[in-house]
Amino acid sequence: MTAKPQLVLDLAGVLVSNFSSTFWLQLSKGSEISFQDIREQFDEIRKDLWTGKIKEDDFWEWMSLRMKQNNKEQARALLIQSLEPLPGLNYLAEWSEIADIHILSNHCKEWLESILERVEPYTKSITISNQVGLRKPDIQIYQHVGKQFEAGQTVVYIDDQEKNLKPVIELGWNTLLADKEHKWIEQVEPMIGMRRRTFD
């Protein structure tokens, strides 16, 4: 029996939306800090948040120092609501019949629970950066996922950021850049050897 291809998918920008401008705008409303400034400051601590050096509670404390009247529970609910499902999520069941699906995401797992509940039934593994202390594009996080693959298996990795695709080329993985129009979805099936069923 031929080994199944391995399909490795990013979450944010591929199966679920990235943080929207609306989220940052709502969060900065009534504060002296602009939404642009808070986004830039978030970029400065993102690495530590994504690798688990900063815990979720520490992040909200960091936010409260910068925001007026920052209600943690409201802000958290707002953040989770801003992570909307993308069309790729609807194809997981179909793809999982042909390929083993693995999730590999730079994120805070605590914010992804409702999304992961939808994803989990179709996946062989889920790797969230703040749980393993590594983040993309560090080659070690890809190697961590790759330990589950057998030699010679076809691996297809999909991400919405080109910088995250580059390291896996030396691992022999095939790559696909997820575009904002979701045209990448049409390219998945040929890459994992899936043939459309035809009916007479």
Side-chain angles (χ1 to χ4, degrees):
M1 189 179 168
T2 312
K4 273 186 166 185
Q6 306 297 299
L7 180 59
V8 185
L9 298 161
D10 178 29
L11 273 182
V14 177
L15 299 180
V16 64
S17 63
N18 286 301
F19 296 139
S20 66
S21 298
T22 311
F23 165 69
W24 294 113
L25 280 166
Q26 286 185 271
L27 220 54
S28 60
K29 201 180 286 180
S31 295
E32 290 167 16
I33 191 167
S34 72
F35 116 93
Q36 192 61 42
D37 285 344
I38 195 64
R39 275 184 69 171
E40 285 172 9
Q41 289 185 31
F42 174 68
D43 285 340
E44 289 169 18
I45 68 151
R46 190 194 300 254
K47 179 180 178 181
D48 287 345
L49 183 63
W50 282 177
T51 53
K53 286 178 186 169
I54 291 177
K55 302 300 178 195
E56 192 205 3
D57 283 344
D58 299 330
F59 167 75
W60 292 117
E61 278 182 36
W62 176 90
M63 287 289 278
S64 68
L65 293 172
R66 284 153 182 80
M67 300 281 188
K68 270 187 182 174
Q69 304 166 332
N70 181 40
N71 181 306
K72 176 190 163 181
E73 293 310 316
Q74 282 180 0
R76 193 177 192 273
L78 195 64
L79 186 151
I80 291 167
Q81 283 165 20
S82 77
L83 302 174
E84 295 179 358
L86 295 177
L89 203 58
N90 300 323
Y91 290 82
L92 292 184
E94 204 173 328
W95 293 338
S96 69
E97 292 176 16
I98 302 296
D100 290 332
I101 296 177
H102 305 266
I103 299 297
L104 172 57
S105 182
N106 282 351
H107 226 292
C108 187
K109 190 184 179 189
E110 293 81 354
W111 300 337
L112 298 170
E113 298 301 344
S114 62
I115 295 293
L116 293 179
E117 279 176 22
R118 290 185 60 177
V119 164
E120 206 162 8
Y122 309 110
T123 55
K124 191 151 190 185
S125 76
I126 295 174
T127 303
I128 309 297
S129 62
N130 80 325
Q131 303 296 296
V132 293
L134 298 164
R135 69 163 193 154
K136 301 176 289 186
D138 183 337
I139 191 80
Q140 289 179 283
I141 198 166
Y142 305 102
Q143 290 168 332
H144 172 82
V145 176
K147 284 175 187 171
Q148 301 170 78
F149 309 157
E150 293 171 25
Q153 283 183 308
T154 297
V155 183
V156 177
Y157 174 56
I158 303 168
D159 200 296
D160 68 322
Q161 294 186 51
E162 207 152 349
K163 67 178 182 182
N164 292 336
L165 295 175
K166 288 176 183 174
V168 305
I169 294 166
E170 64 183 84
L171 298 177
W173 297 10
N174 301 302
T175 61
L176 179 59
L177 183 67
D179 60 288
K180 288 178 181 173
E181 290 74 39
H182 313 294
K183 291 177 183 171
W184 64 271
I185 292 170
E186 298 164 16
Q187 299 173 62
V188 174
E189 293 178 10
M191 291 181 83
I192 60 173
M194 192 173 183
R195 291 178 180 83
R196 276 273 162 210
R197 297 184 190 91
T198 53
F199 300 93
D200 295 329

